[in-house]
Amino acid sequence: MGREIRVALGASAGIAALVIGFIFLVRYAVPAILEAPFAGSLITASIVGIAGVLALVWAAWKLFAWASRALGAGGSDQ
């Protein structure tokens, strides 16, 4: 039972970090770039937003892969 609890706590902490990262990206990082007084701020904010979302998707995939490996859900019957 300890392994399941450890994986659940790790997954919940990872999901909380992903949500906090998304809120930071949408609430602070992109608007700060958009308020900057240079001509390429819209393009830069778009690139930062897209790269941030892709990084969060990658981190979520790694979290899912880790949880699957830790719980032994590799598709084999035990």
Short mmCIF file of all heavy atoms in Angstrom, two decimals:
data_model
loop_
_atom_site.label_atom_id
_atom_site.label_comp_id
_atom_site.label_asym_id
_atom_site.label_seq_id
_atom_site.Cartn_x
_atom_site.Cartn_y
_atom_site.Cartn_z
N MET A 1 0.81 -1.20 0.00
CA MET A 1 0.00 0.00 0.00
C MET A 1 0.85 1.26 0.00
O MET A 1 0.44 2.28 -0.48
CB MET A 1 -0.92 -0.03 1.22
CG MET A 1 -1.96 1.03 1.20
SD MET A 1 -3.06 0.83 -0.21
CE MET A 1 -4.49 1.60 0.39
N GLY A 2 2.07 1.17 0.51
CA GLY A 2 2.94 2.34 0.57
C GLY A 2 3.33 2.86 -0.80
O GLY A 2 3.45 4.06 -1.00
N ARG A 3 3.51 1.94 -1.76
CA ARG A 3 3.90 2.36 -3.10
C ARG A 3 2.79 3.17 -3.76
O ARG A 3 3.05 4.19 -4.38
CB ARG A 3 4.23 1.13 -3.93
CG ARG A 3 4.61 1.45 -5.36
CD ARG A 3 4.93 0.21 -6.11
NE ARG A 3 3.74 -0.64 -6.17
CZ ARG A 3 3.50 -1.50 -7.13
NH1 ARG A 3 4.37 -1.66 -8.10
NH2 ARG A 3 2.41 -2.23 -7.13
N GLU A 4 1.54 2.73 -3.61
CA GLU A 4 0.41 3.45 -4.21
C GLU A 4 0.26 4.84 -3.61
O GLU A 4 -0.02 5.80 -4.32
CB GLU A 4 -0.89 2.66 -4.05
CG GLU A 4 -0.96 1.41 -4.89
CD GLU A 4 -0.37 0.21 -4.20
OE1 GLU A 4 0.08 0.33 -3.04
OE2 GLU A 4 -0.31 -0.86 -4.83
N ILE A 5 0.45 4.94 -2.30
CA ILE A 5 0.35 6.24 -1.64
C ILE A 5 1.46 7.16 -2.11
O ILE A 5 1.23 8.35 -2.38
CB ILE A 5 0.36 6.06 -0.11
CG1 ILE A 5 -0.91 5.34 0.34
CG2 ILE A 5 0.49 7.40 0.59
CD1 ILE A 5 -0.92 4.96 1.79
N ARG A 6 2.65 6.63 -2.23
CA ARG A 6 3.79 7.44 -2.69
C ARG A 6 3.55 7.93 -4.11
O ARG A 6 3.81 9.09 -4.43
CB ARG A 6 5.07 6.61 -2.59
CG ARG A 6 6.32 7.41 -2.68
CD ARG A 6 7.57 6.62 -2.33
NE ARG A 6 7.69 5.38 -3.11
CZ ARG A 6 7.62 4.16 -2.58
NH1 ARG A 6 7.43 4.00 -1.28
NH2 ARG A 6 7.76 3.09 -3.34
N VAL A 7 3.04 7.07 -4.98
CA VAL A 7 2.76 7.47 -6.36
C VAL A 7 1.63 8.48 -6.40
O VAL A 7 1.69 9.47 -7.15
CB VAL A 7 2.44 6.23 -7.22
CG1 VAL A 7 1.93 6.64 -8.59
CG2 VAL A 7 3.68 5.36 -7.36
N ALA A 8 0.60 8.29 -5.59
CA ALA A 8 -0.52 9.23 -5.56
C ALA A 8 -0.07 10.60 -5.08
O ALA A 8 -0.47 11.63 -5.64
CB ALA A 8 -1.64 8.70 -4.68
N LEU A 9 0.76 10.63 -4.05
CA LEU A 9 1.27 11.92 -3.56
C LEU A 9 2.17 12.60 -4.58
O LEU A 9 2.08 13.81 -4.80
CB LEU A 9 2.01 11.73 -2.23
CG LEU A 9 1.15 11.39 -1.03
CD1 LEU A 9 2.04 11.10 0.18
CD2 LEU A 9 0.19 12.50 -0.72
N GLY A 10 3.01 11.81 -5.23
CA GLY A 10 3.87 12.37 -6.27
C GLY A 10 3.08 12.89 -7.46
O GLY A 10 3.36 13.96 -7.99
N ALA A 11 2.06 12.14 -7.85
CA ALA A 11 1.22 12.57 -8.97
C ALA A 11 0.43 13.82 -8.63
O ALA A 11 0.31 14.74 -9.44
CB ALA A 11 0.29 11.44 -9.39
N SER A 12 -0.11 13.87 -7.42
CA SER A 12 -0.87 15.06 -7.04
C SER A 12 0.03 16.28 -6.92
O SER A 12 -0.36 17.39 -7.31
CB SER A 12 -1.64 14.81 -5.74
OG SER A 12 -0.75 14.58 -4.67
N ALA A 13 1.24 16.10 -6.41
CA ALA A 13 2.19 17.23 -6.37
C ALA A 13 2.58 17.66 -7.77
O ALA A 13 2.70 18.86 -8.06
CB ALA A 13 3.43 16.83 -5.56
N GLY A 14 2.76 16.71 -8.66
CA GLY A 14 3.09 17.03 -10.05
C GLY A 14 1.96 17.76 -10.75
O GLY A 14 2.19 18.73 -11.48
N ILE A 15 0.74 17.32 -10.53
CA ILE A 15 -0.41 17.99 -11.15
C ILE A 15 -0.56 19.40 -10.59
O ILE A 15 -0.84 20.35 -11.34
CB ILE A 15 -1.69 17.16 -10.94
CG1 ILE A 15 -1.60 15.89 -11.78
CG2 ILE A 15 -2.93 17.95 -11.31
CD1 ILE A 15 -2.68 14.88 -11.48
N ALA A 16 -0.36 19.56 -9.29
CA ALA A 16 -0.42 20.90 -8.70
C ALA A 16 0.65 21.81 -9.29
O ALA A 16 0.40 22.99 -9.58
CB ALA A 16 -0.27 20.82 -7.18
N ALA A 17 1.85 21.27 -9.50
CA ALA A 17 2.92 22.07 -10.11
C ALA A 17 2.58 22.44 -11.55
O ALA A 17 2.86 23.56 -11.99
CB ALA A 17 4.24 21.30 -10.05
N LEU A 18 1.96 21.53 -12.28
CA LEU A 18 1.55 21.83 -13.65
C LEU A 18 0.49 22.93 -13.69
O LEU A 18 0.56 23.84 -14.53
CB LEU A 18 1.02 20.58 -14.34
CG LEU A 18 2.05 19.51 -14.68
CD1 LEU A 18 1.35 18.25 -15.16
CD2 LEU A 18 3.02 20.02 -15.73
N VAL A 19 -0.47 22.88 -12.78
CA VAL A 19 -1.51 23.91 -12.72
C VAL A 19 -0.90 25.26 -12.34
O VAL A 19 -1.23 26.29 -12.95
CB VAL A 19 -2.62 23.50 -11.74
CG1 VAL A 19 -3.57 24.65 -11.46
CG2 VAL A 19 -3.39 22.31 -12.29
N ILE A 20 -0.01 25.27 -11.37
CA ILE A 20 0.65 26.51 -10.97
C ILE A 20 1.48 27.06 -12.12
O ILE A 20 1.49 28.27 -12.37
CB ILE A 20 1.50 26.28 -9.70
CG1 ILE A 20 0.59 26.05 -8.50
CG2 ILE A 20 2.43 27.45 -9.44
CD1 ILE A 20 1.30 25.58 -7.26
N GLY A 21 2.18 26.19 -12.84
CA GLY A 21 2.97 26.64 -13.99
C GLY A 21 2.10 27.25 -15.08
O GLY A 21 2.45 28.27 -15.68
N PHE A 22 0.94 26.64 -15.34
CA PHE A 22 0.03 27.17 -16.35
C PHE A 22 -0.53 28.53 -15.93
O PHE A 22 -0.60 29.46 -16.73
CB PHE A 22 -1.11 26.19 -16.61
CG PHE A 22 -2.05 26.64 -17.68
CD1 PHE A 22 -1.66 26.60 -19.01
CD2 PHE A 22 -3.30 27.12 -17.36
CE1 PHE A 22 -2.52 27.03 -20.01
CE2 PHE A 22 -4.17 27.55 -18.35
CZ PHE A 22 -3.78 27.51 -19.67
N ILE A 23 -0.91 28.65 -14.65
CA ILE A 23 -1.42 29.93 -14.15
C ILE A 23 -0.35 31.00 -14.24
O ILE A 23 -0.63 32.14 -14.66
CB ILE A 23 -1.95 29.77 -12.72
CG1 ILE A 23 -3.22 28.93 -12.73
CG2 ILE A 23 -2.21 31.13 -12.07
CD1 ILE A 23 -3.72 28.52 -11.37
N PHE A 24 0.89 30.66 -13.87
CA PHE A 24 1.98 31.64 -13.98
C PHE A 24 2.18 32.07 -15.43
O PHE A 24 2.36 33.25 -15.72
CB PHE A 24 3.28 31.05 -13.43
CG PHE A 24 4.46 31.95 -13.64
CD1 PHE A 24 4.66 33.04 -12.83
CD2 PHE A 24 5.36 31.71 -14.67
CE1 PHE A 24 5.74 33.88 -13.02
CE2 PHE A 24 6.44 32.54 -14.87
CZ PHE A 24 6.63 33.63 -14.04
N LEU A 25 2.14 31.11 -16.33
CA LEU A 25 2.34 31.41 -17.75
C LEU A 25 1.26 32.34 -18.27
O LEU A 25 1.55 33.36 -18.91
CB LEU A 25 2.35 30.11 -18.55
CG LEU A 25 2.58 30.21 -20.05
CD1 LEU A 25 4.02 30.64 -20.31
CD2 LEU A 25 2.30 28.88 -20.72
N VAL A 26 0.01 32.03 -17.98
CA VAL A 26 -1.11 32.80 -18.52
C VAL A 26 -1.31 34.12 -17.78
O VAL A 26 -1.63 35.14 -18.39
CB VAL A 26 -2.40 31.95 -18.47
CG1 VAL A 26 -3.62 32.76 -18.82
CG2 VAL A 26 -2.28 30.77 -19.40
N ARG A 27 -1.10 34.11 -16.49
CA ARG A 27 -1.41 35.30 -15.68
C ARG A 27 -0.26 36.30 -15.64
O ARG A 27 -0.50 37.51 -15.58
CB ARG A 27 -1.77 34.86 -14.27
CG ARG A 27 -2.12 35.96 -13.33
CD ARG A 27 -3.47 36.56 -13.65
NE ARG A 27 -3.84 37.53 -12.66
CZ ARG A 27 -3.86 38.84 -12.87
NH1 ARG A 27 -3.54 39.33 -14.04
NH2 ARG A 27 -4.21 39.65 -11.92
N TYR A 28 0.99 35.84 -15.66
CA TYR A 28 2.11 36.75 -15.44
C TYR A 28 3.08 36.84 -16.62
O TYR A 28 3.42 37.94 -17.05
CB TYR A 28 2.88 36.35 -14.18
CG TYR A 28 2.03 36.44 -12.94
CD1 TYR A 28 1.58 35.29 -12.31
CD2 TYR A 28 1.65 37.67 -12.42
CE1 TYR A 28 0.79 35.37 -11.18
CE2 TYR A 28 0.85 37.76 -11.29
CZ TYR A 28 0.43 36.61 -10.67
OH TYR A 28 -0.37 36.69 -9.56
N ALA A 29 3.54 35.71 -17.13
CA ALA A 29 4.62 35.74 -18.12
C ALA A 29 4.18 36.37 -19.44
O ALA A 29 4.81 37.31 -19.93
CB ALA A 29 5.16 34.33 -18.35
N VAL A 30 3.11 35.86 -20.02
CA VAL A 30 2.66 36.37 -21.33
C VAL A 30 2.19 37.82 -21.23
O VAL A 30 2.59 38.65 -22.06
CB VAL A 30 1.60 35.43 -21.95
CG1 VAL A 30 0.99 36.04 -23.19
CG2 VAL A 30 2.22 34.08 -22.28
N PRO A 31 1.37 38.20 -20.24
CA PRO A 31 0.98 39.62 -20.16
C PRO A 31 2.16 40.57 -19.93
O PRO A 31 2.16 41.69 -20.44
CB PRO A 31 0.00 39.67 -18.98
CG PRO A 31 -0.57 38.32 -18.92
CD PRO A 31 0.55 37.40 -19.31
N ALA A 32 3.17 40.12 -19.19
CA ALA A 32 4.34 40.97 -18.98
C ALA A 32 5.07 41.22 -20.28
O ALA A 32 5.56 42.34 -20.53
CB ALA A 32 5.27 40.34 -17.95
N ILE A 33 5.13 40.21 -21.13
CA ILE A 33 5.79 40.38 -22.43
C ILE A 33 4.95 41.28 -23.33
O ILE A 33 5.46 42.13 -24.05
CB ILE A 33 6.05 39.01 -23.09
CG1 ILE A 33 7.07 38.23 -22.26
CG2 ILE A 33 6.55 39.18 -24.52
CD1 ILE A 33 7.22 36.79 -22.69
N LEU A 34 3.63 41.12 -23.27
CA LEU A 34 2.76 41.94 -24.11
C LEU A 34 2.81 43.42 -23.72
O LEU A 34 2.62 44.30 -24.56
CB LEU A 34 1.32 41.45 -24.03
CG LEU A 34 1.03 40.16 -24.78
CD1 LEU A 34 -0.39 39.69 -24.49
CD2 LEU A 34 1.23 40.35 -26.27
N GLU A 35 3.08 43.72 -22.44
CA GLU A 35 3.17 45.10 -21.99
C GLU A 35 4.52 45.73 -22.29
O GLU A 35 4.68 46.95 -22.13
CB GLU A 35 2.89 45.17 -20.49
CG GLU A 35 1.46 44.86 -20.12
CD GLU A 35 1.24 44.83 -18.63
OE1 GLU A 35 2.21 45.00 -17.87
OE2 GLU A 35 0.09 44.61 -18.23
N ALA A 36 5.48 44.94 -22.70
CA ALA A 36 6.82 45.46 -22.98
C ALA A 36 6.78 46.38 -24.21
O ALA A 36 6.10 46.09 -25.19
CB ALA A 36 7.80 44.32 -23.21
N PRO A 37 7.53 47.47 -24.16
CA PRO A 37 7.48 48.45 -25.25
C PRO A 37 8.46 48.14 -26.39
O PRO A 37 9.37 48.90 -26.66
CB PRO A 37 7.86 49.75 -24.55
CG PRO A 37 8.78 49.33 -23.46
CD PRO A 37 8.29 47.98 -23.01
N PHE A 38 8.28 47.02 -27.06
CA PHE A 38 9.08 46.76 -28.25
C PHE A 38 8.17 46.16 -29.32
O PHE A 38 7.11 45.62 -29.03
CB PHE A 38 10.30 45.88 -27.96
CG PHE A 38 10.00 44.48 -27.50
CD1 PHE A 38 9.98 43.44 -28.41
CD2 PHE A 38 9.79 44.20 -26.17
CE1 PHE A 38 9.72 42.16 -27.99
CE2 PHE A 38 9.53 42.92 -25.74
CZ PHE A 38 9.50 41.89 -26.66
N ALA A 39 8.59 46.26 -30.55
CA ALA A 39 7.73 45.95 -31.70
C ALA A 39 7.38 44.47 -31.79
O ALA A 39 6.30 44.13 -32.26
CB ALA A 39 8.42 46.40 -32.98
N GLY A 40 8.24 43.60 -31.35
CA GLY A 40 7.99 42.17 -31.50
C GLY A 40 7.35 41.54 -30.28
O GLY A 40 7.45 40.32 -30.10
N SER A 41 6.69 42.32 -29.44
CA SER A 41 6.16 41.76 -28.20
C SER A 41 5.03 40.76 -28.45
O SER A 41 4.92 39.76 -27.74
CB SER A 41 5.67 42.87 -27.27
OG SER A 41 4.59 43.57 -27.84
N LEU A 42 4.21 40.98 -29.47
CA LEU A 42 3.13 40.04 -29.75
C LEU A 42 3.68 38.69 -30.22
O LEU A 42 3.24 37.63 -29.77
CB LEU A 42 2.17 40.62 -30.80
CG LEU A 42 0.98 39.74 -31.18
CD1 LEU A 42 0.10 39.49 -29.96
CD2 LEU A 42 0.18 40.40 -32.28
N ILE A 43 4.66 38.75 -31.11
CA ILE A 43 5.27 37.50 -31.60
C ILE A 43 6.00 36.79 -30.47
O ILE A 43 5.90 35.57 -30.32
CB ILE A 43 6.22 37.81 -32.78
CG1 ILE A 43 5.40 38.33 -33.96
CG2 ILE A 43 7.02 36.59 -33.17
CD1 ILE A 43 6.24 38.88 -35.09
N THR A 44 6.73 37.55 -29.68
CA THR A 44 7.48 36.96 -28.56
C THR A 44 6.52 36.34 -27.54
O THR A 44 6.77 35.23 -27.05
CB THR A 44 8.35 38.02 -27.88
OG1 THR A 44 9.20 38.61 -28.86
CG2 THR A 44 9.18 37.42 -26.78
N ALA A 45 5.43 37.03 -27.22
CA ALA A 45 4.46 36.49 -26.27
C ALA A 45 3.81 35.22 -26.82
O ALA A 45 3.57 34.26 -26.07
CB ALA A 45 3.40 37.53 -25.95
N SER A 46 3.55 35.20 -28.12
CA SER A 46 2.98 34.00 -28.73
C SER A 46 3.94 32.83 -28.65
O SER A 46 3.54 31.70 -28.32
CB SER A 46 2.62 34.26 -30.20
OG SER A 46 1.67 35.28 -30.29
N ILE A 47 5.20 33.09 -28.94
CA ILE A 47 6.21 32.02 -28.88
C ILE A 47 6.38 31.52 -27.46
O ILE A 47 6.44 30.31 -27.22
CB ILE A 47 7.54 32.52 -29.47
CG1 ILE A 47 7.39 32.72 -30.98
CG2 ILE A 47 8.67 31.56 -29.16
CD1 ILE A 47 8.56 33.41 -31.63
N VAL A 48 6.44 32.44 -26.49
CA VAL A 48 6.58 32.03 -25.09
C VAL A 48 5.35 31.24 -24.65
O VAL A 48 5.48 30.23 -23.95
CB VAL A 48 6.81 33.27 -24.19
CG1 VAL A 48 6.64 32.93 -22.73
CG2 VAL A 48 8.19 33.84 -24.44
N GLY A 49 4.17 31.67 -25.04
CA GLY A 49 2.95 30.95 -24.68
C GLY A 49 2.90 29.55 -25.26
O GLY A 49 2.59 28.58 -24.56
N ILE A 50 3.22 29.43 -26.54
CA ILE A 50 3.21 28.11 -27.19
C ILE A 50 4.28 27.21 -26.60
O ILE A 50 4.03 26.04 -26.30
CB ILE A 50 3.37 28.27 -28.71
CG1 ILE A 50 2.12 28.92 -29.30
CG2 ILE A 50 3.63 26.93 -29.37
CD1 ILE A 50 2.27 29.36 -30.74
N ALA A 51 5.48 27.74 -26.42
CA ALA A 51 6.57 26.94 -25.84
C ALA A 51 6.24 26.53 -24.40
O ALA A 51 6.53 25.40 -23.98
CB ALA A 51 7.88 27.72 -25.88
N GLY A 52 5.60 27.44 -23.66
CA GLY A 52 5.22 27.11 -22.28
C GLY A 52 4.18 26.00 -22.22
O GLY A 52 4.28 25.09 -21.40
N VAL A 53 3.19 26.09 -23.09
CA VAL A 53 2.17 25.04 -23.12
C VAL A 53 2.78 23.71 -23.55
O VAL A 53 2.47 22.66 -22.98
CB VAL A 53 0.99 25.45 -24.03
CG1 VAL A 53 0.08 24.28 -24.31
CG2 VAL A 53 0.22 26.60 -23.40
N LEU A 54 3.65 23.73 -24.55
CA LEU A 54 4.32 22.49 -24.97
C LEU A 54 5.18 21.91 -23.85
O LEU A 54 5.23 20.69 -23.66
CB LEU A 54 5.15 22.73 -26.22
CG LEU A 54 4.36 22.96 -27.51
CD1 LEU A 54 5.31 23.30 -28.66
CD2 LEU A 54 3.52 21.75 -27.84
N ALA A 55 5.86 22.76 -23.10
CA ALA A 55 6.66 22.28 -21.97
C ALA A 55 5.77 21.67 -20.90
O ALA A 55 6.13 20.64 -20.30
CB ALA A 55 7.48 23.43 -21.39
N LEU A 56 4.62 22.28 -20.64
CA LEU A 56 3.70 21.71 -19.65
C LEU A 56 3.12 20.37 -20.13
O LEU A 56 2.96 19.45 -19.32
CB LEU A 56 2.58 22.70 -19.35
CG LEU A 56 2.99 23.94 -18.55
CD1 LEU A 56 1.85 24.93 -18.50
CD2 LEU A 56 3.43 23.56 -17.16
N VAL A 57 2.83 20.25 -21.41
CA VAL A 57 2.34 18.98 -21.95
C VAL A 57 3.43 17.91 -21.84
O VAL A 57 3.15 16.77 -21.46
CB VAL A 57 1.87 19.15 -23.41
CG1 VAL A 57 1.66 17.82 -24.10
CG2 VAL A 57 0.60 19.99 -23.46
N TRP A 58 4.67 18.27 -22.15
CA TRP A 58 5.78 17.32 -22.01
C TRP A 58 5.93 16.88 -20.55
O TRP A 58 6.11 15.68 -20.27
CB TRP A 58 7.07 17.96 -22.52
CG TRP A 58 8.26 17.10 -22.30
CD1 TRP A 58 8.67 16.06 -23.07
CD2 TRP A 58 9.20 17.19 -21.22
NE1 TRP A 58 9.81 15.50 -22.54
CE2 TRP A 58 10.16 16.18 -21.41
CE3 TRP A 58 9.34 18.04 -20.13
CZ2 TRP A 58 11.21 16.00 -20.54
CZ3 TRP A 58 10.39 17.85 -19.26
CH2 TRP A 58 11.32 16.84 -19.47
N ALA A 59 5.85 17.84 -19.61
CA ALA A 59 5.98 17.50 -18.20
C ALA A 59 4.83 16.60 -17.74
O ALA A 59 5.03 15.67 -16.95
CB ALA A 59 6.03 18.76 -17.36
N ALA A 60 3.62 16.85 -18.25
CA ALA A 60 2.48 16.00 -17.89
C ALA A 60 2.67 14.59 -18.43
O ALA A 60 2.35 13.61 -17.76
CB ALA A 60 1.19 16.61 -18.43
N TRP A 61 3.20 14.48 -19.65
CA TRP A 61 3.47 13.15 -20.23
C TRP A 61 4.52 12.41 -19.41
O TRP A 61 4.38 11.21 -19.15
CB TRP A 61 3.92 13.30 -21.68
CG TRP A 61 4.29 11.99 -22.28
CD1 TRP A 61 5.53 11.53 -22.55
CD2 TRP A 61 3.39 10.94 -22.63
NE1 TRP A 61 5.47 10.26 -23.07
CE2 TRP A 61 4.16 9.87 -23.13
CE3 TRP A 61 2.01 10.80 -22.58
CZ2 TRP A 61 3.59 8.69 -23.56
CZ3 TRP A 61 1.46 9.60 -23.02
CH2 TRP A 61 2.24 8.58 -23.51
N LYS A 62 5.58 13.10 -18.99
CA LYS A 62 6.60 12.46 -18.17
C LYS A 62 6.03 12.02 -16.81
O LYS A 62 6.38 10.96 -16.31
CB LYS A 62 7.79 13.41 -17.95
CG LYS A 62 8.54 13.75 -19.22
CD LYS A 62 9.12 12.53 -19.87
CE LYS A 62 10.49 12.26 -19.37
NZ LYS A 62 11.15 11.15 -20.04
N LEU A 63 5.15 12.84 -16.25
CA LEU A 63 4.51 12.49 -14.98
C LEU A 63 3.64 11.24 -15.15
O LEU A 63 3.67 10.33 -14.32
CB LEU A 63 3.67 13.66 -14.47
CG LEU A 63 2.89 13.45 -13.18
CD1 LEU A 63 3.86 13.26 -12.02
CD2 LEU A 63 1.97 14.61 -12.92
N PHE A 64 2.88 11.19 -16.24
CA PHE A 64 2.04 10.02 -16.51
C PHE A 64 2.90 8.77 -16.72
O PHE A 64 2.59 7.69 -16.20
CB PHE A 64 1.18 10.27 -17.74
CG PHE A 64 0.39 9.09 -18.18
CD1 PHE A 64 -0.73 8.68 -17.46
CD2 PHE A 64 0.77 8.35 -19.29
CE1 PHE A 64 -1.46 7.58 -17.86
CE2 PHE A 64 0.05 7.25 -19.69
CZ PHE A 64 -1.07 6.86 -18.97
N ALA A 65 3.99 8.91 -17.46
CA ALA A 65 4.88 7.77 -17.70
C ALA A 65 5.51 7.28 -16.40
O ALA A 65 5.61 6.07 -16.15
CB ALA A 65 5.95 8.15 -18.71
N TRP A 66 5.91 8.22 -15.54
CA TRP A 66 6.49 7.84 -14.26
C TRP A 66 5.48 7.10 -13.40
O TRP A 66 5.79 6.06 -12.81
CB TRP A 66 6.99 9.08 -13.53
CG TRP A 66 7.34 8.81 -12.10
CD1 TRP A 66 8.47 8.19 -11.64
CD2 TRP A 66 6.52 9.08 -10.96
NE1 TRP A 66 8.41 8.08 -10.26
CE2 TRP A 66 7.22 8.62 -9.83
CE3 TRP A 66 5.28 9.67 -10.78
CZ2 TRP A 66 6.71 8.74 -8.55
CZ3 TRP A 66 4.78 9.79 -9.50
CH2 TRP A 66 5.49 9.33 -8.41
N ALA A 67 4.24 7.62 -13.33
CA ALA A 67 3.22 6.97 -12.51
C ALA A 67 2.89 5.59 -13.05
O ALA A 67 2.69 4.64 -12.27
CB ALA A 67 1.97 7.85 -12.46
N SER A 68 2.83 5.44 -14.36
CA SER A 68 2.54 4.13 -14.95
C SER A 68 3.65 3.13 -14.64
O SER A 68 3.39 1.98 -14.28
CB SER A 68 2.39 4.24 -16.46
OG SER A 68 1.28 5.01 -16.78
N ARG A 69 4.90 3.58 -14.76
CA ARG A 69 6.03 2.71 -14.44
C ARG A 69 6.06 2.36 -12.96
O ARG A 69 6.33 1.22 -12.59
CB ARG A 69 7.34 3.40 -14.82
CG ARG A 69 7.99 2.86 -16.04
CD ARG A 69 9.40 3.37 -16.24
NE ARG A 69 9.74 4.63 -15.62
CZ ARG A 69 9.59 5.83 -16.18
NH1 ARG A 69 9.08 5.93 -17.38
NH2 ARG A 69 9.95 6.92 -15.55
N ALA A 70 5.79 3.34 -12.12
CA ALA A 70 5.87 3.11 -10.67
C ALA A 70 4.78 2.15 -10.20
O ALA A 70 4.99 1.39 -9.26
CB ALA A 70 5.75 4.44 -9.92
N LEU A 71 3.64 2.17 -10.85
CA LEU A 71 2.55 1.27 -10.46
C LEU A 71 2.62 -0.06 -11.20
O LEU A 71 1.83 -0.95 -10.93
CB LEU A 71 1.20 1.93 -10.72
CG LEU A 71 0.87 3.09 -9.79
CD1 LEU A 71 -0.42 3.74 -10.20
CD2 LEU A 71 0.79 2.62 -8.35
N GLY A 72 3.54 -0.18 -12.13
CA GLY A 72 3.71 -1.43 -12.85
C GLY A 72 2.62 -1.67 -13.88
O GLY A 72 2.32 -2.81 -14.19
N ALA A 73 2.05 -0.62 -14.43
CA ALA A 73 0.99 -0.75 -15.43
C ALA A 73 1.60 -0.74 -16.82
O ALA A 73 1.38 0.15 -17.61
CB ALA A 73 -0.03 0.37 -15.28
N GLY A 74 2.39 -1.73 -17.13
CA GLY A 74 3.05 -1.80 -18.42
C GLY A 74 2.32 -2.65 -19.45
O GLY A 74 2.84 -2.94 -20.49
N GLY A 75 1.11 -3.06 -19.12
CA GLY A 75 0.35 -3.88 -20.05
C GLY A 75 0.53 -5.37 -19.84
O GLY A 75 -0.07 -6.18 -20.52
N SER A 76 1.35 -5.77 -18.89
CA SER A 76 1.54 -7.20 -18.63
C SER A 76 0.61 -7.64 -17.51
O SER A 76 0.38 -6.93 -16.57
CB SER A 76 3.00 -7.48 -18.24
OG SER A 76 3.30 -6.78 -17.05
N ASP A 77 0.07 -8.84 -17.65
CA ASP A 77 -0.82 -9.39 -16.63
C ASP A 77 0.00 -10.04 -15.53
O ASP A 77 0.88 -10.83 -15.78
CB ASP A 77 -1.76 -10.43 -17.23
CG ASP A 77 -2.71 -9.81 -18.23
OD1 ASP A 77 -3.02 -8.62 -18.06
OD2 ASP A 77 -3.14 -10.52 -19.16
N GLN A 78 -0.33 -9.66 -14.29
CA GLN A 78 0.41 -10.21 -13.16
C GLN A 78 -0.50 -10.99 -12.26
O GLN A 78 -1.57 -10.70 -12.01
CB GLN A 78 1.07 -9.10 -12.37
CG GLN A 78 2.15 -8.41 -13.15
CD GLN A 78 2.80 -7.30 -12.34
OE1 GLN A 78 2.42 -6.99 -11.24
NE2 GLN A 78 3.80 -6.68 -12.92
#
